[in-house]
Amino acid sequence: MNRQEVAALLAYAVRLDPRSAPADQAAADETLDQWADLLTDVATAAPHPNGRHWDAAQVVRHHIATSPYPIKPSDVSRPWHDFRRDVVDRHHDPVPAADPDDPAAYRAELLGTRNAVATGTAPAATFRELTGGPAPEVAERLAALGEYVPRTVAQALAEFRPRRADRERRAVEGLPDPLDVPCPHVHCRARAGEPCVNHRRNPRRTAHPSRLDLATARRYAPKEPAA
């Protein structure tokens, strides 16, 4: 955020919580200096791969609505760094357009893309690019999930079918899929391919941890030697 954006954020905070208003102009200038210094690397807004976008004003609003303490700049910067870390962790570098025979240009494009994702000026690429089509094992897992659609279409539909999107992501990234195995949770017992359910028998958005543990153990279990 630049100084003008920080000033607007402070004005919004004061409007929601008048007790945070500075006593005089000198105090207001000192507060603005402090906030501008600590929020210089914080974005006002930024996209997130799962649709949970960053909005600094909403962070301020949430703090004032839920905390009994006056807001500090760290109450905005800390959530931003957590948000940015999560976005960067989900990002997979797309293949640069630069000539791979020009290492300096190739590396510069990679670093530029990563920096744009980290600062919120570009969306994260959440699927590894597949050159020449999926690897045989990946193709087999995707085929088992049903008809495969192009990556761009799958990304556009991801928010409307999060469970399918997560299974496709796990297949592409070579991660264990909890829905490949039945759930061992005593109050669930969902069959393979079916989502876990809660105590009211309603589908859960995520699988029970014990189911993921079972899928992980089976995926990485030593293979039996061929007879």
Side-chain angles (χ1 to χ4, degrees):
M1 279 186 270
N2 58 37
R3 191 176 180 85
Q4 184 176 0
E5 291 168 332
V6 173
L9 191 66
L10 272 171
Y12 178 65
V14 169
R15 181 163 65 85
L16 295 181
D17 183 12
R19 65 181 175 163
S20 62
D24 51 40
Q25 188 58 48
D29 292 341
E30 182 179 354
T31 299
L32 179 56
D33 287 342
Q34 180 192 39
W35 278 61
D37 184 38
L38 290 174
L39 302 187
T40 185
D41 59 346
V42 175
T44 54
H48 191 284
N50 68 4
R52 180 176 53 84
H53 292 2
W54 165 265
D55 185 331
Q58 289 303 312
V59 173
V60 168
R61 183 181 182 280
H62 176 74
H63 177 88
I64 292 174
T66 60
S67 174
Y69 302 104
I71 191 167
K72 308 183 299 296
S74 60
D75 294 324
V76 179
S77 63
R78 285 174 183 163
W80 162 252
H81 289 296
D82 290 341
F83 175 92
R84 182 176 67 175
R85 188 180 306 111
D86 185 54
V87 171
V88 171
D89 286 346
R90 294 169 182 263
H91 174 68
H92 296 295
D93 292 315
V95 178
D99 186 348
D101 292 330
D102 184 348
Y106 195 88
R107 184 172 183 274
E109 186 175 339
L110 274 178
L111 293 177
T113 301
R114 291 177 189 175
N115 183 65
V117 170
T119 56
T121 57
T126 55
F127 287 83
R128 290 194 179 102
E129 293 198 0
L130 302 174
T131 57
E137 181 186 357
V138 173
E140 182 179 347
R141 289 184 66 184
L142 290 174
L145 297 178
E147 183 179 357
Y148 176 69
V149 297
R151 179 169 59 88
T152 53
V153 176
Q155 288 178 312
L157 295 175
E159 65 176 298
F160 302 106
R161 49 176 200 169
R163 193 175 297 113
R164 167 77 185 220
D166 182 63
R167 297 194 75 188
E168 290 180 349
R169 177 184 66 82
R170 288 179 173 276
V172 171
E173 297 183 10
L175 299 174
D177 184 347
L179 269 64
D180 282 346
V181 299
C183 182
H185 193 283
V186 65
H187 297 302
C188 180
R189 304 297 188 188
R191 293 178 293 184
E194 296 180 350
C196 286
V197 295
N198 60 23
H199 66 285
R200 295 181 178 175
R201 310 306 295 173
N202 294 322
R204 288 167 47 101
R205 289 184 61 86
T206 59
H208 285 104
S210 56
R211 190 176 192 180
L212 179 56
D213 290 344
L214 177 60
T216 302
R218 290 195 181 180
R219 177 161 180 76
Y220 298 114
K223 292 183 170 58
E224 292 288 338

